[in-house]
Amino acid sequence: MCGIFAYSWRRKDADSILLHGLERLEYRGYDSAGITVGNDAHVVETFKAVGKVSALVKEVSKKRPSDAFYQFGIAHTRWATHGGVTVENTHPHSDVENRLFLVHNGIVENHSDLAERLSSAGVSFYGQTDSEVVAKLIGKETAARLRTGSPDSLLEGVEAVLPRLEGAYALVIMHADLPGELIGVKYGSPLVFGRDTKTGDSFFASDVQALAGYADQVTFLDDGDLVRIKPDGTYEIRSEGFLVSRPFERVETEHLKTEKGNFEHFMLKEIFEQPKIMKAVFQGRVDFEHLALNAAAFQDLRDIDIERVKFIACWTSYHAGWAGAYAFREYAGMSATVEIASEFLNSPVRVDPKILYVFVSQSGETADAIEPLKFIKEHGGKTFGIVNVVGSSISRLTDFGLFTRAGTEVGVASTKAFTAQLAVVTLLALFYAIKRGEDFRKYRSALNDLAKLPEVLQSVLSSSGEIAEVAKELAKRPHLFFLWRGSMLPIAAEAALKFKEITYLHAQSMPLGELKHGTLALIEESCPSVVFLPDDALFAQNQSSISEIQARWGKVLAISAKPVQNADWNLVLPSAPGLTFAFAATVAGQLLAYHAALELGREIDRPRNLAKSVTVK
Ligand code: M6R
């Protein structure tokens, strides 16, 4: 999704800093990129390119005068929402005089009305974006104030326009005639303000990861915050027109560790990190020696009184929520459901104080999840966050939470963050199992299984070559099914999503029992199925469903806990007992998707049309 990076003021290579910042934001997914840079001689230049940041880098080196220097600027990677993927629609956008420039993340919903009013006042537009409309508006207001000589022209110009905007936005704005000054505004879309306390340089970014190594202190802005960086390098933060102070945090250098190492893709690296991540998830939360949860890690939840649980999340994280709902029913004997975040407010909602609303999100910035979260909070609901990115909006908005500790995930297709989510939702369910005095033996046996997870996942990873062979076969077919019974539902759904996301082949997850109620009509040799078979009471039933598929010439890959005699291909995960099978099968599904996508030559880490963090509704 769109990315913002901005810099001001002591260095003379702002263009290189901005381009590097954009490279760090590339993983979010985008279609075009651009920068505007300026200096104290009131010179400004804008460079834009459709495609990768590398195309923008070439554009800058081609057109930048060799003796130029730039001291401040704004940069953006655009993921098209309004208007096609064109140079004109690429940010930064400018006002009519080409003196004011801005970058924008989010969507201004009333942009058509605003544009109409500007048009009737004689303003014309070069593109189709809502962001350009905002640039024209702020430019007009600022220009009027500059004519009066106001030293606060840009601030006043911005403040005059903000109340007219409806929707969500993070904006960073600069003006050619106000060198060094930058204004950053956050409302509904993430924006981080960073400082290098040694040099006094200032930065904005949509993602804290981009600031590592540049800023040593950052603050995650709240909705309604406006930061003004003044030409002398000082700054002020305002909210609703008043000066406010915000806490600053150190930037963790962990954010810099996003190299692929010896792996061909980030996705593969992240899949292989999972055994280590399982250990991190359990660290300090589980005492495996005594098969017990560490009460201190769940302290916040001890005294809150709830009867039911509702998970709310988007796709992969939704699948983790689904697994969480199963775990709550299985271990804690509680009623638990899962809801698609983007649909949550599309039907009447009654916020219930007896429900714990659990938001699951890797990025913590998913707009579709933030909206229901805010709604539930406004209506007095108790909210819990299971989030990977520390400092992200969902982690800050929820009342309580547990981080997933998966580390930075770069691949657009979520892998390690998902298994970490699975582990955390399971721990949460086990906490309620013990709190409610449920079956103690089941609880201990689950913890005993979890203790084996790092080892179990390692053994699946060692089958990567075997999985690659089957993946090559599956990649030859345009459609496939991922079939399940019982608790394998979220695992199969996630495997199908992963497959679609990076192979661009059609994959559908569905209950085995429902095949004969319609979908069996699609089964033929060119439509294979992947069936998940844990070693449970449904094993025999699952095996006979495989025969039903084969009777229609459909080929079957069985991912199973013990050998399946009638499968065409069988990936047996013998060392994955009980609860661990779901995790092991997840990793197998990730590797299957990865190797099929590799076979098809797809752009695995940045699949077409997708973004890592979906910050618009
Ligand atoms: O950051 P979130 O977990 O809130 O993101 C939710 C979905 O956008 C995300 O899981 C998406 O489905 C992944 N690309 C799947 O791999």
Side-chain angles (χ1 to χ4, degrees), residues 94-101 136 139-140 142-144 146-147 175 177:
S94 62
D95 68 340
V96 286
E97 294 172 3
N98 243 337
R99 302 304 283 166
L100 179 133
F101 299 85
K136 298 282 190 280
K140 193 167 168 240
T142 305
L146 276 170
R147 284 193 287 275
H175 198 288
D177 299 322

Side-chain angles (χ1 to χ4, degrees), residues 314-317 361-364 366 412-414 497-498 501 614:
C314 293
W315 252 198
T316 285
S317 299
S361 175
Q362 188 286 126
S363 62
T366 303
V412 165
S414 189
L497 172 65
K498 220 84 304 177
E501 209 175 357
V614 184

Side-chain angles (χ1 to χ4, degrees), residues 76-185:
H76 193 262
T77 45
R78 172 174 187 253
W79 189 80
T81 53
H82 293 78
V85 181
T86 62
V87 169
E88 290 73 29
N89 288 335
T90 300
H91 299 222
H93 286 292
S94 62
D95 68 340
V96 286
E97 294 172 3
N98 243 337
R99 302 304 283 166
L100 179 133
F101 299 85
L102 65 72
V103 287
H104 167 219
N105 281 4
I107 293 178
V108 172
E109 281 156 10
N110 59 335
H111 69 100
S112 309
D113 293 349
L114 298 170
E116 229 167 83
R117 263 177 262 163
L118 282 170
S119 298
S120 39
V123 174
S124 57
F125 298 92
Y126 51 74
Q128 292 84 42
T129 66
D130 51 342
S131 316
E132 188 194 342
V133 177
V134 183
K136 298 282 190 280
L137 274 175
I138 299 180
K140 193 167 168 240
E141 295 292 342
T142 305
R145 285 158 176 90
L146 276 170
R147 284 193 287 275
T148 69
S150 165
D152 299 324
S153 298
L154 186 57
L155 174 68
E156 290 167 6
V158 172
E159 283 185 330
V161 171
L162 292 182
R164 290 185 239 163
L165 307 182
E166 287 167 20
Y169 48 83
L171 296 164
V172 185
I173 308 139
M174 62 178 268
H175 198 288
D177 299 322
L178 300 167
E181 184 159 352
L182 288 181
I183 289 191
V185 185

